[in-house]
Coordinates of all heavy atoms in Angstrom, one line a residue:
M13 N -11.3 -3.9 11.0 CA -10.6 -2.9 10.3 C -9.7 -2.1 11.3 O -10.2 -1.7 12.3 CB -11.5 -1.9 9.5 CG -10.9 -0.9 8.7 SD -12.0 0.0 7.5 CE -12.6 1.3 8.6
L14 N -8.5 -1.9 11.0 CA -7.6 -1.1 11.8 C -7.4 0.3 11.1 O -7.2 0.4 9.9 CB -6.2 -1.7 11.9 CG -6.1 -3.0 12.7 CD1 -4.7 -3.5 12.7 CD2 -6.6 -2.8 14.2
I15 N -7.5 1.4 11.9 CA -7.3 2.7 11.4 C -5.9 3.2 12.0 O -5.8 3.2 13.3 CB -8.4 3.7 11.7 CG1 -9.7 3.2 11.0 CG2 -8.0 5.1 11.4 CD1 -10.9 4.1 11.3
P16 N -5.0 3.5 11.2 CA -3.7 4.0 11.7 C -3.7 5.4 12.2 O -3.4 6.3 11.4 CB -2.7 3.7 10.6 CG -3.5 3.9 9.3 CD -4.9 3.4 9.7
C17 N -4.0 5.7 13.4 CA -4.0 7.0 13.9 C -2.6 7.5 14.0 O -1.7 6.9 14.5 CB -4.7 7.0 15.3 SG -4.6 8.7 16.1
P18 N -2.3 8.7 13.4 CA -0.9 9.2 13.4 C -0.4 9.5 14.8 O 0.8 9.5 15.0 CB -1.0 10.5 12.6 CG -2.3 10.4 11.8 CD -3.2 9.5 12.6
H19 N -1.3 9.7 15.8 CA -0.9 9.9 17.1 C -0.8 8.7 18.0 O 0.2 8.5 18.7 CB -2.0 10.9 17.8 CG -1.6 11.3 19.1 ND1 -1.9 10.7 20.3 CD2 -0.8 12.4 19.5 CE1 -1.4 11.3 21.3 NE2 -0.7 12.4 20.9
C20 N -1.7 7.7 17.8 CA -1.8 6.5 18.7 C -1.3 5.2 18.0 O -1.1 4.3 18.7 CB -3.2 6.3 19.1 SG -4.0 7.7 19.9
G21 N -1.2 5.2 16.7 CA -0.8 4.0 16.0 C -2.1 3.3 15.6 O -3.2 3.8 15.7
P22 N -1.9 2.0 15.0 CA -3.1 1.3 14.5 C -4.1 0.9 15.6 O -3.6 0.4 16.6 CB -2.5 0.0 13.9 CG -1.1 0.4 13.7 CD -0.7 1.3 14.7
R23 N -5.3 1.3 15.4 CA -6.4 1.0 16.4 C -7.6 0.4 15.7 O -7.9 0.8 14.6 CB -6.7 2.2 17.2 CG -5.6 2.8 18.1 CD -5.3 1.9 19.2 NE -4.5 2.5 20.2 CZ -3.1 2.4 20.2 NH1 -2.5 1.7 19.3 NH2 -2.4 3.0 21.1
D24 N -8.4 -0.4 16.5 CA -9.6 -1.0 16.0 C -10.6 0.1 15.6 O -10.7 1.1 16.3 CB -10.2 -1.9 17.0 CG -11.4 -2.7 16.4 OD1 -11.2 -3.7 15.8 OD2 -12.5 -2.2 16.6
V25 N -11.3 -0.1 14.5 CA -12.3 0.9 14.1 C -13.4 1.2 15.1 O -14.0 2.3 15.2 CB -13.0 0.4 12.8 CG1 -13.9 -0.8 13.0 CG2 -13.8 1.5 12.1
G26 N -13.6 0.3 16.1 CA -14.6 0.5 17.2 C -14.2 1.6 18.1 O -15.0 2.2 18.8
E27 N -12.9 2.1 18.0 CA -12.5 3.2 18.9 C -12.9 4.6 18.2 O -12.7 5.6 18.8 CB -11.0 3.2 19.1 CG -10.5 2.0 19.9 CD -9.1 2.1 20.3 OE1 -8.4 3.2 20.0 OE2 -8.5 1.2 20.8
F28 N -13.3 4.5 16.9 CA -13.5 5.7 16.1 C -15.0 5.9 15.8 O -15.8 5.0 15.8 CB -12.8 5.6 14.8 CG -11.3 5.5 14.9 CD1 -10.7 4.3 15.2 CD2 -10.5 6.7 14.7 CE1 -9.3 4.2 15.3 CE2 -9.1 6.6 14.8 CZ -8.5 5.4 15.1
T29 N -15.4 7.2 15.5 CA -16.7 7.5 15.1 C -16.6 8.1 13.7 O -15.7 9.1 13.5 CB -17.4 8.5 16.0 OG1 -17.5 7.9 17.3 CG2 -18.8 8.8 15.5
Y30 N -17.4 7.7 12.7 CA -17.3 8.2 11.4 C -17.9 9.7 11.4 O -18.9 9.9 12.1 CB -18.2 7.4 10.5 CG -18.3 7.9 9.1 CD1 -17.2 7.8 8.2 CD2 -19.5 8.4 8.6 CE1 -17.3 8.2 6.9 CE2 -19.6 8.9 7.3 CZ -18.5 8.8 6.4 OH -18.6 9.2 5.2
G31 N -17.1 10.6 10.8 CA -17.5 12.0 10.8 C -18.0 12.6 9.5 O -18.2 13.7 9.4
G32 N -18.1 11.7 8.5 CA -18.6 12.2 7.2 C -17.6 12.4 6.1 O -16.4 12.2 6.3
D33 N -18.1 12.9 5.0 CA -17.3 13.1 3.8 C -16.3 14.3 4.0 O -16.8 15.4 4.3 CB -18.3 13.4 2.7 CG -17.6 13.6 1.3 OD1 -16.4 13.7 1.2 OD2 -18.4 13.5 0.3
A34 N -15.0 14.0 3.8 CA -14.0 15.1 4.0 C -13.8 15.9 2.7 O -12.9 16.8 2.7 CB -12.7 14.5 4.5
T35 N -14.5 15.6 1.7 CA -14.3 16.3 0.4 C -15.3 17.5 0.3 O -15.1 18.3 -0.6 CB -14.4 15.4 -0.8 OG1 -15.7 14.9 -0.9 CG2 -13.4 14.2 -0.7
K36 N -16.3 17.5 1.1 CA -17.3 18.6 1.0 C -16.7 19.8 1.6 O -16.1 19.8 2.7 CB -18.6 18.2 1.7 CG -19.3 17.0 1.0 CD -20.7 16.9 1.4 CE -21.5 17.7 0.4 NZ -22.9 17.3 0.4
E37 N -17.0 20.9 1.0 CA -16.5 22.2 1.5 C -17.6 23.0 2.2 O -18.7 23.1 1.6 CB -15.9 23.0 0.3 CG -15.0 24.2 0.8 CD -14.2 24.7 -0.3 OE1 -13.6 23.9 -1.1 OE2 -14.1 25.9 -0.4
R38 N -17.3 23.4 3.4 CA -18.4 24.2 4.2 C -18.7 25.5 3.4 O -17.8 26.2 3.0 CB -17.8 24.5 5.6 CG -18.8 25.1 6.5 CD -18.2 25.4 7.8 NE -19.0 26.1 8.7 CZ -19.9 25.5 9.5 NH1 -20.1 24.2 9.5 NH2 -20.7 26.2 10.3
P39 N -20.0 25.7 3.3 CA -20.4 27.0 2.6 C -20.0 28.2 3.3 O -19.9 28.2 4.5 CB -21.9 26.9 2.5 CG -22.3 25.4 2.7 CD -21.2 24.9 3.6
D40 N -19.8 29.3 2.6 CA -19.4 30.6 3.2 C -20.7 31.1 3.9 O -21.7 31.4 3.2 CB -19.0 31.5 2.1 CG -18.6 32.9 2.7 OD1 -18.8 33.1 3.9 OD2 -18.2 33.7 1.9
P41 N -20.7 31.3 5.2 CA -21.9 31.8 5.9 C -22.4 33.1 5.4 O -23.5 33.4 5.6 CB -21.4 31.9 7.4 CG -20.2 31.1 7.5 CD -19.5 31.1 6.1
E42 N -21.5 33.9 4.9 CA -21.9 35.3 4.4 C -22.7 35.2 3.1 O -23.5 36.1 2.8 CB -20.6 36.1 4.2 CG -19.8 36.3 5.4 CD -20.6 37.1 6.5 OE1 -21.3 38.0 6.2 OE2 -20.4 36.8 7.7
S43 N -22.5 34.2 2.3 CA -23.1 34.2 1.0 C -23.9 32.9 0.7 O -24.6 32.9 -0.3 CB -22.1 34.3 -0.1 OG -21.1 33.3 0.0
A44 N -23.9 31.9 1.6 CA -24.6 30.6 1.2 C -26.1 30.8 1.3 O -26.6 31.5 2.2 CB -24.1 29.6 2.2
S45 N -26.8 30.1 0.4 CA -28.2 30.1 0.4 C -28.7 28.9 1.3 O -27.9 28.0 1.7 CB -28.8 29.9 -1.0 OG -28.4 28.6 -1.5
A46 N -30.0 28.9 1.5 CA -30.6 27.7 2.3 C -30.3 26.4 1.5 O -30.1 25.4 2.1 CB -32.1 27.9 2.5
E47 N -30.4 26.5 0.2 CA -30.1 25.3 -0.6 C -28.7 24.8 -0.5 O -28.4 23.6 -0.4 CB -30.5 25.5 -2.1 CG -31.9 25.7 -2.4 CD -32.5 27.1 -2.0 OE1 -31.7 28.0 -1.8 OE2 -33.7 27.1 -1.8
D48 N -27.7 25.8 -0.4 CA -26.3 25.4 -0.2 C -26.1 24.7 1.1 O -25.4 23.7 1.2 CB -25.4 26.7 -0.2 CG -25.4 27.4 -1.5 OD1 -25.6 26.7 -2.5 OD2 -25.2 28.6 -1.5
W49 N -26.8 25.2 2.2 CA -26.7 24.5 3.5 C -27.4 23.2 3.5 O -26.9 22.2 4.1 CB -27.3 25.4 4.6 CG -26.3 26.6 5.0 CD1 -26.5 27.9 4.7 CD2 -25.1 26.4 5.6 NE1 -25.4 28.6 5.1 CE2 -24.5 27.7 5.7 CE3 -24.3 25.4 6.1 CZ2 -23.3 28.0 6.3 CZ3 -23.1 25.6 6.7 CH2 -22.6 26.9 6.8
C50 N -28.5 23.1 2.9 CA -29.2 21.8 2.8 C -28.3 20.8 2.1 O -28.2 19.6 2.6 CB -30.5 22.0 2.0 SG -31.5 20.5 1.9
D51 N -27.7 21.2 1.0 CA -26.8 20.2 0.3 C -25.6 19.8 1.2 O -25.3 18.6 1.3 CB -26.3 20.9 -1.0 CG -25.4 19.9 -1.7 OD1 -25.8 18.8 -2.0 OD2 -24.2 20.3 -2.0
Y52 N -25.0 20.8 1.9 CA -23.9 20.5 2.8 C -24.2 19.6 3.9 O -23.5 18.7 4.3 CB -23.3 21.8 3.3 CG -22.1 21.7 4.2 CD1 -20.9 21.2 3.7 CD2 -22.3 21.9 5.6 CE1 -19.8 21.1 4.6 CE2 -21.2 21.7 6.4 CZ -20.0 21.3 5.9 OH -18.9 21.2 6.8
V53 N -25.4 19.8 4.6 CA -25.7 19.1 5.8 C -26.4 17.8 5.5 O -26.1 16.8 6.2 CB -26.7 20.0 6.6 CG1 -27.2 19.2 7.8 CG2 -26.0 21.2 7.1
F54 N -27.2 17.7 4.5 CA -28.0 16.5 4.3 C -27.7 15.6 3.1 O -28.0 14.4 3.2 CB -29.5 16.9 4.2 CG -30.0 17.5 5.4 CD1 -30.4 18.8 5.5 CD2 -30.2 16.8 6.6 CE1 -30.8 19.4 6.6 CE2 -30.6 17.3 7.8 CZ -31.0 18.7 7.8
H55 N -27.2 16.1 2.0 CA -27.0 15.3 0.8 C -25.6 14.7 0.9 O -24.6 15.3 1.1 CB -27.1 16.2 -0.4 CG -28.5 16.7 -0.6 ND1 -28.8 17.8 -1.4 CD2 -29.7 16.3 0.0 CE1 -30.1 18.0 -1.3 NE2 -30.6 17.1 -0.5
R56 N -25.6 13.3 0.7 CA -24.3 12.6 0.7 C -24.2 11.7 -0.5 O -25.2 11.1 -0.9 CB -24.3 11.7 2.0 CG -24.2 12.5 3.3 CD -22.9 13.1 3.5 NE -22.8 13.9 4.7 CZ -22.9 15.3 4.7 NH1 -23.1 15.9 3.6 NH2 -22.8 15.9 5.8
D57 N -23.0 11.6 -1.0 CA -22.7 10.6 -2.1 C -22.5 9.3 -1.4 O -22.2 9.2 -0.2 CB -21.5 11.1 -2.8 CG -21.7 12.3 -3.6 OD1 -22.8 12.6 -4.0 OD2 -20.7 13.1 -3.8
N58 N -22.6 8.3 -2.2 CA -22.3 6.9 -1.7 C -21.2 6.3 -2.6 O -21.5 5.5 -3.4 CB -23.5 6.1 -1.7 CG -23.3 4.7 -1.0 OD1 -22.4 4.6 -0.2 ND2 -24.2 3.8 -1.2
P59 N -19.9 6.8 -2.4 CA -18.9 6.5 -3.4 C -18.5 5.0 -3.3 O -18.5 4.4 -2.2 CB -17.7 7.4 -3.0 CG -17.9 7.6 -1.6 CD -19.4 7.7 -1.3
R60 N -18.1 4.5 -4.4 CA -17.5 3.1 -4.5 C -16.1 3.3 -4.9 O -15.7 3.9 -5.9 CB -18.3 2.3 -5.5 CG -17.7 0.9 -5.7 CD -18.6 0.1 -6.7 NE -18.0 -1.2 -7.1 CZ -18.1 -2.3 -6.3 NH1 -18.9 -2.2 -5.3 NH2 -17.5 -3.4 -6.7
G61 N -15.2 2.8 -4.0 CA -13.7 3.0 -4.2 C -13.1 4.0 -3.3 O -13.5 4.2 -2.2
R62 N -12.1 4.7 -3.8 CA -11.3 5.6 -3.0 C -12.1 6.7 -2.5 O -12.8 7.4 -3.3 CB -10.1 6.1 -3.8 CG -9.1 6.9 -3.0 CD -7.9 7.2 -4.0 NE -6.9 7.9 -3.3 CZ -6.8 9.2 -3.1 NH1 -7.8 10.0 -3.6 NH2 -5.8 9.8 -2.4
H63 N -12.1 7.0 -1.2 CA -12.8 8.1 -0.6 C -12.1 8.7 0.6 O -11.4 8.0 1.3 CB -14.2 7.6 -0.1 CG -15.2 8.6 0.2 ND1 -15.8 8.7 1.4 CD2 -15.7 9.7 -0.6 CE1 -16.6 9.8 1.4 NE2 -16.5 10.4 0.2
V64 N -12.2 10.0 0.8 CA -11.6 10.7 1.9 C -12.7 11.0 2.9 O -13.7 11.7 2.6 CB -10.9 12.0 1.5 CG1 -10.2 12.6 2.7 CG2 -9.9 11.7 0.4
E65 N -12.5 10.6 4.2 CA -13.5 10.7 5.2 C -12.9 11.3 6.5 O -11.7 11.1 6.7 CB -14.0 9.3 5.5 CG -14.5 8.5 4.3 CD -14.7 7.0 4.6 OE1 -13.9 6.5 5.4 OE2 -15.6 6.5 4.0
Y66 N -13.8 11.9 7.3 CA -13.4 12.3 8.7 C -13.7 11.2 9.6 O -14.8 10.5 9.5 CB -14.2 13.5 9.1 CG -13.8 14.8 8.4 CD1 -14.7 15.5 7.7 CD2 -12.5 15.3 8.6 CE1 -14.3 16.7 7.1 CE2 -12.1 16.5 8.0 CZ -13.0 17.2 7.2 OH -12.6 18.4 6.6
W67 N -12.8 10.9 10.6 CA -13.1 9.9 11.6 C -12.5 10.6 12.9 O -11.5 11.2 12.9 CB -12.3 8.6 11.4 CG -12.9 7.8 10.3 CD1 -12.7 7.9 9.0 CD2 -13.7 6.6 10.5 NE1 -13.4 6.9 8.3 CE2 -14.0 6.1 9.2 CE3 -14.3 6.0 11.6 CZ2 -14.9 5.0 9.0 CZ3 -15.1 4.9 11.4 CH2 -15.4 4.5 10.1
H68 N -13.3 10.4 14.0 CA -12.9 10.9 15.3 C -12.4 9.8 16.2 O -13.1 8.8 16.4 CB -14.1 11.6 16.0 CG -13.8 12.3 17.3 ND1 -14.4 11.9 18.4 CD2 -12.9 13.2 17.6 CE1 -13.9 12.6 19.4 NE2 -13.0 13.4 19.0
H69 N -11.2 9.9 16.8 CA -10.7 8.9 17.6 C -11.1 9.2 19.1 O -10.3 9.5 19.9 CB -9.1 8.9 17.5 CG -8.6 7.6 18.0 ND1 -7.2 7.4 18.1 CD2 -9.2 6.5 18.5 CE1 -7.0 6.2 18.6 NE2 -8.2 5.6 18.9
G70 N -12.4 9.0 19.3 CA -13.0 9.3 20.6 C -12.5 8.4 21.8 O -12.5 8.9 22.9
Q71 N -12.1 7.2 21.5 CA -11.6 6.3 22.6 C -10.1 6.2 22.6 O -9.5 5.3 23.1 CB -12.3 4.9 22.4 CG -13.8 5.0 22.6 CD -14.4 3.6 22.6 OE1 -13.8 2.6 22.9 NE2 -15.6 3.6 22.2
G72 N -9.5 7.2 22.0 CA -8.0 7.3 22.0 C -7.6 8.7 22.2 O -7.9 9.3 23.3
C73 N -6.9 9.3 21.3 CA -6.4 10.7 21.5 C -7.5 11.8 21.4 O -7.2 12.9 21.7 CB -5.3 11.0 20.5 SG -5.8 10.8 18.8
R74 N -8.7 11.4 20.9 CA -9.8 12.3 20.8 C -9.5 13.4 19.7 O -10.1 14.5 19.7 CB -10.2 13.0 22.1 CG -10.5 12.0 23.2 CD -11.0 12.6 24.5 NE -12.2 13.4 24.3 CZ -13.4 12.8 24.3 NH1 -13.6 11.5 24.3 NH2 -14.5 13.6 24.1
L75 N -8.6 13.1 18.8 CA -8.4 14.0 17.7 C -9.2 13.6 16.4 O -9.6 12.4 16.3 CB -6.9 14.0 17.3 CG -6.0 14.6 18.4 CD1 -4.5 14.4 18.0 CD2 -6.3 16.0 18.8
W76 N -9.3 14.5 15.5 CA -10.0 14.2 14.2 C -8.9 13.8 13.2 O -7.9 14.4 13.2 CB -10.8 15.4 13.8 CG -12.1 15.6 14.5 CD1 -12.3 16.3 15.6 CD2 -13.3 14.9 14.1 NE1 -13.7 16.1 16.0 CE2 -14.3 15.3 15.1 CE3 -13.7 14.1 13.1 CZ2 -15.6 14.9 15.0 CZ3 -15.0 13.6 13.0 CH2 -16.0 14.1 14.0
L77 N -9.3 12.9 12.4 CA -8.4 12.4 11.3 C -9.1 12.5 10.0 O -10.3 12.4 9.9 CB -8.0 10.9 11.5 CG -7.6 10.4 12.8 CD1 -7.4 8.9 12.7 CD2 -6.4 11.1 13.3
K78 N -8.3 12.7 8.9 CA -8.8 12.5 7.6 C -8.2 11.2 7.1 O -7.0 10.9 7.2 CB -8.2 13.6 6.6 CG -9.2 14.5 6.1 CD -8.6 15.5 5.1 CE -9.3 16.7 5.1 NZ -8.8 17.7 4.1
V79 N -9.1 10.3 6.7 CA -8.7 8.9 6.4 C -9.1 8.7 4.9 O -10.2 8.9 4.5 CB -9.5 7.9 7.2 CG1 -9.2 6.5 6.8 CG2 -9.2 8.1 8.7
T80 N -8.1 8.3 4.1 CA -8.3 7.9 2.7 C -8.5 6.4 2.7 O -7.6 5.7 3.0 CB -7.1 8.4 1.8 OG1 -7.0 9.8 2.0 CG2 -7.4 8.1 0.4
R81 N -9.7 6.0 2.3 CA -10.1 4.6 2.4 C -10.8 4.1 1.2 O -11.6 4.9 0.6 CB -11.0 4.4 3.6 CG -11.6 3.0 3.9 CD -12.4 3.0 5.1 NE -13.7 3.7 5.0 CZ -14.9 3.1 4.6 NH1 -14.9 1.8 4.4 NH2 -16.0 3.8 4.5
D82 N -10.6 2.9 0.8 CA -11.3 2.2 -0.3 C -12.6 1.7 0.3 O -12.5 0.8 1.2 CB -10.5 1.2 -1.0 CG -11.2 0.7 -2.3 OD1 -12.3 0.2 -2.2 OD2 -10.5 0.7 -3.3
T83 N -13.7 2.2 -0.2 CA -15.0 1.7 0.4 C -15.4 0.3 0.1 O -16.3 -0.3 0.7 CB -16.2 2.7 0.1 OG1 -16.3 2.6 -1.4 CG2 -15.9 4.1 0.5
V84 N -14.7 -0.3 -0.9 CA -15.0 -1.7 -1.3 C -14.1 -2.6 -0.5 O -14.6 -3.6 0.1 CB -14.8 -1.9 -2.8 CG1 -15.0 -3.3 -3.2 CG2 -15.7 -1.0 -3.6
T85 N -12.8 -2.4 -0.5 CA -11.9 -3.3 0.2 C -11.6 -2.9 1.6 O -11.0 -3.7 2.4 CB -10.6 -3.3 -0.6 OG1 -9.9 -2.0 -0.5 CG2 -10.8 -3.7 -2.0
H86 N -11.9 -1.7 2.0 CA -11.6 -1.1 3.3 C -10.1 -0.9 3.5 O -9.6 -0.6 4.6 CB -12.1 -1.9 4.5 CG -13.6 -2.0 4.5 ND1 -14.4 -0.9 4.6 CD2 -14.4 -3.1 4.3 CE1 -15.7 -1.3 4.5 NE2 -15.7 -2.6 4.3
K87 N -9.3 -1.0 2.4 CA -7.9 -0.7 2.5 C -7.7 0.8 2.7 O -8.3 1.6 2.1 CB -7.2 -1.1 1.2 CG -5.7 -0.9 1.2 CD -5.0 -1.3 -0.1 CE -3.5 -1.3 -0.1 NZ -3.0 0.0 0.2
I88 N -6.8 1.1 3.7 CA -6.6 2.5 4.1 C -5.3 3.0 3.5 O -4.2 2.4 3.7 CB -6.6 2.7 5.6 CG1 -8.0 2.5 6.1 CG2 -6.1 4.1 6.0 CD1 -8.2 2.5 7.6
E89 N -5.3 4.0 2.6 CA -4.1 4.5 1.9 C -3.3 5.4 2.9 O -2.1 5.5 2.7 CB -4.5 5.3 0.7 CG -5.0 4.5 -0.5 CD -5.3 5.3 -1.7 OE1 -4.8 6.4 -1.8 OE2 -6.1 4.8 -2.5
G90 N -4.0 6.1 3.7 CA -3.3 7.1 4.6 C -4.2 7.8 5.5 O -5.5 7.8 5.3
T91 N -3.7 8.4 6.6 CA -4.4 9.2 7.5 C -3.6 10.4 7.9 O -2.4 10.4 7.8 CB -4.7 8.4 8.8 OG1 -3.4 8.0 9.4 CG2 -5.5 7.2 8.6
E92 N -4.3 11.4 8.3 CA -3.6 12.6 8.7 C -4.5 13.3 9.8 O -5.7 13.2 9.8 CB -3.3 13.6 7.6 CG -4.6 14.1 6.9 CD -4.3 15.1 5.8 OE1 -3.8 16.2 6.1 OE2 -4.5 14.7 4.6
L93 N -3.9 13.9 10.8 CA -4.6 14.7 11.8 C -5.1 16.0 11.1 O -4.5 16.5 10.2 CB -3.7 15.1 12.9 CG -3.1 13.9 13.7 CD1 -2.1 14.4 14.8 CD2 -4.2 13.1 14.4
V94 N -6.3 16.4 11.5 CA -6.8 17.7 11.0 C -7.2 18.6 12.2 O -7.4 18.1 13.3 CB -8.1 17.5 10.1 CG1 -7.7 16.7 8.9 CG2 -9.2 16.7 10.9
G95 N -7.3 19.9 11.9 CA -7.6 20.8 13.0 C -6.4 21.7 13.3 O -5.3 21.4 12.9
P96 N -6.6 22.7 14.1 CA -5.5 23.7 14.4 C -4.4 23.1 15.2 O -3.3 23.6 15.3 CB -6.2 24.8 15.1 CG -7.6 24.2 15.6 CD -7.9 23.2 14.6
W97 N -4.7 21.9 15.9 CA -3.7 21.3 16.8 C -2.9 20.3 16.0 O -1.9 19.7 16.5 CB -4.5 20.5 17.9 CG -5.5 19.7 17.3 CD1 -5.4 18.4 16.8 CD2 -6.9 20.1 17.1 NE1 -6.6 18.0 16.3 CE2 -7.5 19.0 16.5 CE3 -7.6 21.2 17.4 CZ2 -8.9 19.1 16.1 CZ3 -9.0 21.3 17.1 CH2 -9.6 20.2 16.4
A98 N -3.2 20.0 14.7 CA -2.6 19.0 14.0 C -1.0 19.2 13.9 O -0.3 18.2 13.9 CB -3.2 18.8 12.6
E99 N -0.6 20.4 13.7 CA 0.8 20.7 13.5 C 1.6 20.4 14.7 O 2.7 20.0 14.6 CB 1.0 22.1 13.0 CG 0.5 22.4 11.6 CD 1.2 21.6 10.5 OE1 2.5 21.5 10.6 OE2 0.6 21.1 9.6
S100 N 1.0 20.7 15.9 CA 1.8 20.5 17.1 C 1.6 19.2 17.8 O 2.3 18.9 18.8 CB 1.4 21.7 18.1 OG 0.0 21.6 18.4
A101 N 0.6 18.4 17.3 CA 0.4 17.1 18.0 C 1.6 16.1 17.7 O 2.1 16.1 16.6 CB -0.9 16.4 17.4
P102 N 2.0 15.4 18.8 CA 3.1 14.4 18.6 C 2.6 13.3 17.6 O 1.5 12.9 17.6 CB 3.3 13.9 20.0 CG 2.0 14.2 20.7 CD 1.4 15.4 20.1
K103 N 3.6 12.8 16.8 CA 3.3 11.8 15.9 C 4.2 10.6 16.1 O 5.4 10.7 16.4 CB 3.6 12.3 14.4 CG 2.6 13.4 14.0 CD 3.0 14.0 12.7 CE 2.0 15.1 12.3 NZ 2.1 16.3 13.1
Q104 N 3.6 9.4 16.2 CA 4.3 8.2 16.4 C 4.8 7.5 15.2 O 5.6 6.6 15.2 CB 3.5 7.3 17.3 CG 3.3 7.9 18.7 CD 2.6 7.0 19.6 OE1 2.2 5.9 19.3 NE2 2.3 7.4 20.8
G105 N 4.2 7.8 14.0 CA 4.6 7.3 12.7 C 4.5 5.8 12.6 O 5.4 5.2 12.0
R106 N 3.5 5.2 13.2 CA 3.3 3.8 13.1 C 2.6 3.4 11.8 O 1.8 4.1 11.3 CB 2.5 3.2 14.3 CG 3.2 3.5 15.6 CD 2.4 3.0 16.7 NE 3.1 3.3 18.0 CZ 2.5 3.2 19.1 NH1 1.3 2.8 19.2 NH2 3.2 3.5 20.2
D107 N 2.9 2.2 11.3 CA 2.2 1.7 10.1 C 1.1 0.7 10.4 O 1.1 0.1 11.5 CB 3.2 1.1 9.1 CG 4.3 2.1 8.7 OD1 3.9 3.2 8.5 OD2 5.5 1.7 8.6
V108 N 0.2 0.5 9.4 CA -0.8 -0.5 9.6 C -0.2 -1.9 9.4 O 0.7 -2.1 8.5 CB -1.9 -0.3 8.5 CG1 -2.9 -1.4 8.6 CG2 -2.6 1.0 8.7
A109 N -0.5 -2.8 10.3 CA 0.0 -4.2 10.2 C -0.6 -4.9 9.0 O -1.7 -4.6 8.6 CB -0.3 -4.9 11.5
Ligands
LIG18 ZN1 -5.5 8.6 18.2

């Protein structure tokens, strides 16, 4: 599977580390209960089909990406850089082969 990093271009999935479900929202530390944190940290869905995930390009630019992927076909609809550096990071605009 190739992941099209917006910074580096298409790269083998072996260069990346899966970072979890990108649709979960971090609880508010001021008001979250222990159950809220337990759900956020430990409970995961196992979706079939389109899913948005975090991936870290550890053997490339070392940036975090949000990847929209079909969990059945592994077809990737799109990727985007995430984090405070995303706006200023250079983009090469390469497509998946
Ligand atoms: Zn990269």
Side-chain angles (χ1 to χ4, degrees):
M13 182 169 85
L14 292 177
I15 295 179
C17 175
H19 187 270
C20 306
R23 294 292 192 267
D24 186 85
V25 68
E27 294 187 8
F28 296 82
T29 302
Y30 178 72
D33 184 345
T35 63
K36 294 195 92 158
E37 196 163 317
R38 186 179 175 86
D40 180 355
E42 300 296 324
S43 61
S45 66
E47 289 77 20
D48 294 334
W49 283 109
C50 182
D51 181 55
Y52 177 72
V53 174
F54 296 111
H55 296 159
R56 295 288 177 258
D57 293 331
N58 188 17
R60 179 177 172 83
R62 187 176 186 272
H63 192 236
V64 183
E65 307 163 327
Y66 287 118
W67 287 82
H68 181 243
H69 197 184
Q71 295 183 26
C73 60
R74 303 186 60 81
L75 297 175
W76 282 92
L77 314 177
K78 245 186 210 182
V79 177
T80 304
R81 177 177 71 95
D82 188 304
T83 61
V84 177
T85 65
H86 299 298
K87 181 177 187 303
I88 294 176
E89 289 181 24
T91 58
E92 63 179 290
L93 298 175
V94 294
W97 51 84
E99 289 298 318
S100 60
K103 296 176 180 63
Q104 296 185 358
R106 296 178 184 166
D107 298 323
V108 176

